[in-house]
Amino acid sequence: KNNELIKNSTFDIYRVAGKDSKFRALYFHIPYCEQICTFCPFSREINTDHDVHEKYVEALVKEIRIKSQYENVGNIPVDSIFFGGGTPSILSPSLIKKIGAVLNECFDLSQLKEFNYECHLTTVTEDRLQALKEIGVTHPRMGVQTFHPQYRKFFNLVEGTDLIFEKVALLKKYFSIVTVDMLYGMHGQKIDDFIKDLHYAVQLDTSNIDVYPINNVVTQAKLGKELRENDMEATTGFTKAQMNVLLRNYMRNNGYHPHNGHGYVKVSKEIITENPVVTDCYRFQYHEAHYGYKDHDIIGFGSGAFSITDGFVIGNNTNSKKYISDLIEKDHLDMNIYEFDPVICESKGISFHLPYHGEADKAKINFELVKPEVLERLDEVISAGLVVEDKTHYRLTELGWHWYGNLLFYLSPDSEQETIMKYIDRGSKLTNRYVEDWNIDFEFDTAKDLVMN
């Protein structure tokens, strides 16, 4: 913790953090769920008590009002808003409207490009969707994950799938842009089952489908135990790579084209023909901040939320009860503040934006400050035919696009690669893989170790 930056209160870090932002996203964390999905690595807890939700929203509103008083937070136009969790849609319509009112009051939303809100199928109701529409939500998202009954049971999801089609239809009634999330690469998953999942996802006929490889490092121990008891062997990296190639071909054949590493958008055949690798006719703006350039940042609100700005990573306390009591009773918020050399962020355009979005704008990168090993590796992948270069941009080739996940790692600076390997090694040795344990037990050797991870 850099106490020199904290003059009068813990919030005074925001006098410094985020001052050079050119692209701003706001993240709001709602930690409550009706049940816990066993693949979920995020800060969350089971709680359906409206009174508790009300107290949490009171604390969240207070954090918003305090932080937005700082010029670096309240006066910079917002490009993207994202509500994650947990289950944000667990909140009642009145609480949703209460948060929406303070957002419009405290932030400059004149340049807002999208407003994302995560939903769970059991909490997608007419009155909630009306409230979301009223506060300006444009991009609701719902986790489907899989249609396979065995994996739905493993993941602690609602086992019936008819409700998925019903709730997606309800979302589409209110919003023209709807995203569903899918997972693949689960232990024991067969190619045929993967294709069936993609078939049903396409049948939902949403504007967007995001498909993620499962991250076994951060899943719950309970899931690992059930998979072992059912003799479900881990999917190999090579098989996941095959699935990734199959995924892209299947989605394109069904009218969905990649817009980033995980995301597909429904487009015309002409757009796919025009650029067979990746489209920019749609861009997920929150990931434009998360996988962006040096001056793209995120300001986080809520228990367990992170702010990631040029030179700082600021993490709120993950304990929701403490979060509520500290803010309501003390005007205080425990934050872990990591300061690092902002020069390292100049590599983000190459390390993050290029692999994940398929292109990098040279004009947005100060090459004199990019880590030398990053530029060396960039030359290597160009020579290998994974990336092409013109006067203004670097772009992934079709071959490079298949290996974007590897490129995210390979094009990162040495210090970040070391941190990732250390994180994986530490996580693989944990006996109980709840994210709360990681937040308590994991220590970074240097403050800058946290950036870009």
Side-chain angles (χ1 to χ4, degrees), residues 31 35 60 62 104 223 243 287 293 297 306 365 379 413:
Q35 58 191 36
L60 183 65
K62 194 163 189 178
N104 282 278
L223 175 59
M243 287 179 164
H287 276 182
Y293 297 94
D297 68 7
F306 275 85
I365 302 169
D379 287 339

Side-chain angles (χ1 to χ4, degrees), residues 1 35 44 49 52 59 76 93 103 110 157 181-182 234-235 237 244 277-278 330 337 357 369 372 374 377 420 425 447:
K1 291 186 178 181
Q35 58 191 36
R44 68 278 184 268
D49 187 335
V52 173
I76 292 178
L103 294 185
S110 61
L157 300 170
D181 292 339
M182 300 292 294
T235 304
N244 189 35
V277 179
V278 60
K330 307 174 187 175
I337 302 169
H357 297 290
L369 298 179
V374 173
R377 290 170 190 149
I420 291 170
D425 183 62

Side-chain angles (χ1 to χ4, degrees), residues 315-333:
N316 287 357
N317 189 290
T318 59
N319 186 315
S320 64
K321 294 182 180 64
K322 190 174 189 309
Y323 171 83
I324 291 170
S325 62
D326 281 353
L327 275 164
I328 292 177
E329 298 170 12
K330 307 174 187 175
D331 293 338
H332 173 78
L333 181 62

Side-chain angles (χ1 to χ4, degrees), residues 9-11 14 28-30 53-70 73 83 95 98-103 105-107 299-303 316 322-333 335:
S9 76
T10 55
F11 294 100
Y14 287 98
F28 299 89
H29 192 73
I30 309 298
H53 298 175
E54 197 167 35
K55 283 289 186 184
Y56 184 85
V57 169
E58 181 183 346
L60 183 65
V61 166
K62 194 163 189 178
E63 183 187 2
I64 293 169
R65 290 192 186 282
I66 293 172
K67 281 186 179 178
S68 64
Q69 294 177 29
Y70 293 92
V73 178
F83 272 72
L95 293 179
K98 184 174 182 179
I99 298 173
V102 77
L103 294 185
E105 175 189 338
C106 293
F107 298 106
I299 305 296
F301 302 82
S303 63
N316 287 357
K322 190 174 189 309
Y323 171 83
I324 291 170
S325 62
D326 281 353
L327 275 164
I328 292 177
E329 298 170 12
K330 307 174 187 175
D331 293 338
H332 173 78
L333 181 62
M335 294 183 281

